[in-house]
Amino acid sequence: MHSKQVKRLRGYVLITLVLALVLGVSGGIMAQETIKIGAVYPLTGAVATTGADCRSGVELAVDIINGVYDLDFPFAKAAGIPNLGGAKIEVIFGDTRGDPTQGMAETERLITEENVVTVVGGYQSGVVKTATMASERLQVPYVLSDATSPALTERGFKWFFRVIPHDGIQAKNALELVKDIETKEDTVLPNLAILWENTEWGANVALEIKTWAEECGFKLVADVPYTYRATDVTSEVLKLKAAKPDVIIHAAYVSDAILFTQTMKAMDIRPKVMIGMAGHLDPNYLNTVGKDGEYFFVRAVYGLDLATRKPMVEKINELYKAKYGHDMSPNAARSFTAPFVVADAINRAASTKPEDIRQALAETNIPGSDLISPYEGVKFDPVTQDNVLGRSLYLQVQDGQFRVVWPFELAAVPYVYPFPEWDR
């Protein structure tokens, strides 16, 4: 090739690069290789199986955002963040070990050393409480879809947004379930017992249930706190037995849920309705207690049975099952939501600056059709920054599966009532 041709070719290349740079900057879509987001979960310790479940939900969400899938679902049909030139999300995990101090430290590390532009996750309200202190101080958005203490969004934080309905809403839903059973069965179930682990989350569940119980006309016959990760719960179960409740609501993480179920069976405690929260959804719960977990009602914000009302649930589950070898769990599903809320905000902001993402989060308005949960959508309250469109489901364990039974209009199968004898 002659020297003039080489010079001419170099000139064309230079002009092309300059034009690309100018057009990219002026159009606000200059491509960015990766956008780092942080995710903090208990990946080791007492609730590590739940943490692993939550992690898998986040990972699948990021796969869909970054890849190309033939799905009528947000970000599925094109790779990456469209308004940032197809930039890919890179998720960096931090291990809280289920400890609030470690949760704060890991959040700080992700922000200051890994340079993440948002943080998701937490799972345990006591851990989220300290983790969000770090993100608030460092002014990086934190999007939560898996911890429910109302106190978390009552602190006036500007950088913290919660997708999942808080315990006030979910406590009301639990008692609405009982009232609906009363109506359907033409009975009354007035005597209520609350059993709760004494961390940030359990204490707030108990407080909210007590508040709503009075309004709904229930008599609180037992209010039983216990130490998280207890090793002997005989005295607590004796208190329940003496109270003779019609309904027991148990707020527990997985190890406590297992121990109480085993002890209640051994002491033959059988209310007419048994409701579990949080730990009863952990894979280790049914794997350990087996048939003794049958007919527990369990609160959730996802159930595979929702596919009868939302076909996209089944399609997402197929992707999950291909990746992990089993069905998507409620814990994985609720953590699945946060990366999409973050991606939606980054895309609308067309920016990775935390302050721009925060502003876009405040303006979020995602319809329920873009979610695999029963929420009517995602829209944040301007004061608390809680999702005003969230609602919960109740599942019931039937034949070893979590089946959607309430609200009745979303139910896939009828509920079983009353709670039967343990050996049945």
Side-chain angles (χ1 to χ4, degrees):
M1 186 178 288
H2 295 298
S3 61
K4 287 183 179 180
Q5 290 176 307
V6 172
K7 288 180 180 177
R8 190 179 297 118
L9 181 59
R10 286 175 177 168
Y12 289 150
V13 172
L14 181 60
I15 290 169
T16 302
L17 289 172
V18 170
L19 283 171
L21 179 63
V22 171
L23 288 172
V25 173
S26 64
I29 56 170
M30 190 171 178
Q32 182 172 330
E33 287 187 6
T34 60
I35 302 164
K36 291 184 178 182
I37 68 170
V40 289
Y41 285 107
L43 302 178
T44 59
V47 289
T49 50
T50 300
D53 243 12
C54 295
R55 176 174 181 151
S56 65
V58 170
E59 288 172 340
L60 181 63
V62 171
D63 283 352
I64 293 171
I65 293 165
N66 288 343
V68 178
Y69 294 83
D70 185 20
L71 294 173
D72 188 18
F73 201 71
F75 298 97
K77 292 185 181 295
I81 306 297
N83 290 341
L84 287 175
K88 303 296 194 297
I89 298 288
E90 178 186 357
V91 60
I92 301 172
F93 287 92
D95 181 9
T96 71
R97 305 175 200 163
D99 176 74
T101 302
Q102 181 69 11
M104 176 182 280
E106 283 291 85
T107 304
E108 288 180 351
R109 178 184 67 80
L110 292 172
I111 294 170
T112 61
E113 297 181 21
E114 299 290 352
N115 300 312
V116 302
V117 298
T118 57
V119 179
V120 301
Y123 177 64
Q124 294 154 295
S125 293
V127 174
V128 173
K129 183 177 183 179
T130 56
T132 51
M133 289 176 184
S135 63
E136 190 76 10
R137 173 167 44 84
L138 296 167
Q139 297 190 343
V140 166
Y142 193 120
V143 177
L144 174 70
S145 61
D146 42 29
T148 54
S149 167
L152 294 173
T153 47
E154 294 172 353
R155 298 172 293 172
F157 282 12
K158 301 300 181 186
W159 297 83
F160 177 47
F161 297 83
R162 175 162 51 193
V163 180
I164 192 170
H166 62 64
D167 287 322
I169 295 168
Q170 298 205 42
K172 180 173 181 282
N173 290 162
L175 297 177
E176 286 172 338
L177 162 67
V178 177
K179 298 301 286 187
D180 282 353
I181 291 173
E182 285 184 329
T183 299
K184 197 160 183 126
E185 301 297 329
D186 191 22
T187 189
V188 290
L189 301 165
N191 297 322
L192 174 68
I194 310 171
L195 178 63
W196 50 280
E197 55 85 38
N198 63 354
T199 71
E200 172 83 14
W201 170 68
N204 276 286
V205 170
L207 178 63
E208 294 294 336
I209 290 173
K210 283 183 274 190
T211 299
W212 283 107
E214 184 176 353
E215 184 165 325
C216 294
F218 290 94
K219 179 182 179 183
L220 188 63
V221 294
D223 178 10
V224 184
Y226 63 89
T227 303
Y228 168 53
R229 297 180 66 186
T231 56
D232 186 319
V233 295
T234 304
S235 63
E236 288 83 359
V237 173
L238 281 170
K239 290 177 185 177
L240 290 175
K241 192 174 181 72
K244 299 180 180 177
D246 299 303
V247 180
I248 294 176
I249 300 179
H250 185 194
Y253 292 119
V254 61
S255 61
D256 300 328
I258 291 168
L259 181 58
F260 270 97
T261 298
Q262 293 168 336
T263 309
M264 285 192 281
K265 178 186 178 182
M267 301 180 71
D268 194 28
I269 296 212
R270 287 187 294 109
K272 291 185 174 68
V273 175
M274 192 90 81
I275 299 175
M277 297 186 174
H280 300 77
L281 288 174
D282 187 289
N284 270 356
Y285 176 71
L286 286 183
N287 287 344
T288 303
V289 303
K291 291 184 178 180
D292 293 338
E294 290 284 308
Y295 310 118
F296 274 71
F297 291 92
V298 184
R299 81 170 188 185
V301 292
Y302 170 86
L304 186 54
D305 284 339
L306 279 176
T308 60
R309 313 283 179 164
K310 284 189 169 188
M312 187 55 60
V313 168
E314 183 175 357
K315 294 178 181 179
I316 297 295
N317 185 64
E318 287 171 0
L319 293 178
Y320 186 91
K321 199 168 185 177
K323 185 177 177 70
Y324 295 104
H326 56 85
D327 288 328
M328 193 175 211
S329 70
N331 285 327
R334 66 183 185 178
S335 297
F336 174 83
T337 304
F340 285 100
V341 174
V342 169
D344 174 73
I346 291 173
N347 190 52
R348 285 184 290 105
S351 170
T352 57
K353 293 180 180 178
E355 58 269 29
D356 294 339
I357 298 170
R358 195 210 73 80
Q359 182 59 41
L361 283 166
E363 297 165 359
T364 294
N365 191 4
I366 298 173
S369 57
D370 286 352
L371 305 168
I372 61 169
S373 68
Y375 308 158
E376 296 173 275
V378 179
K379 187 175 184 180
F380 296 112
D381 184 278
V383 177
T384 65
Q385 298 180 168
D386 267 313
N387 179 17
V388 299
L389 300 177
R391 63 172 175 172
S392 59
L393 291 170
Y394 269 86
L395 315 178
Q396 189 179 45
V397 182
Q398 297 184 14
D399 297 322
Q401 302 293 319
F402 291 104
R403 309 302 305 273
V404 177
V405 295
W406 188 91
F408 294 151
E409 68 270 17
L410 295 179
V413 296
Y415 63 85
V416 173
Y417 170 91
F419 188 81
E421 295 177 12
W422 287 97
D423 58 7
R424 294 178 58 193

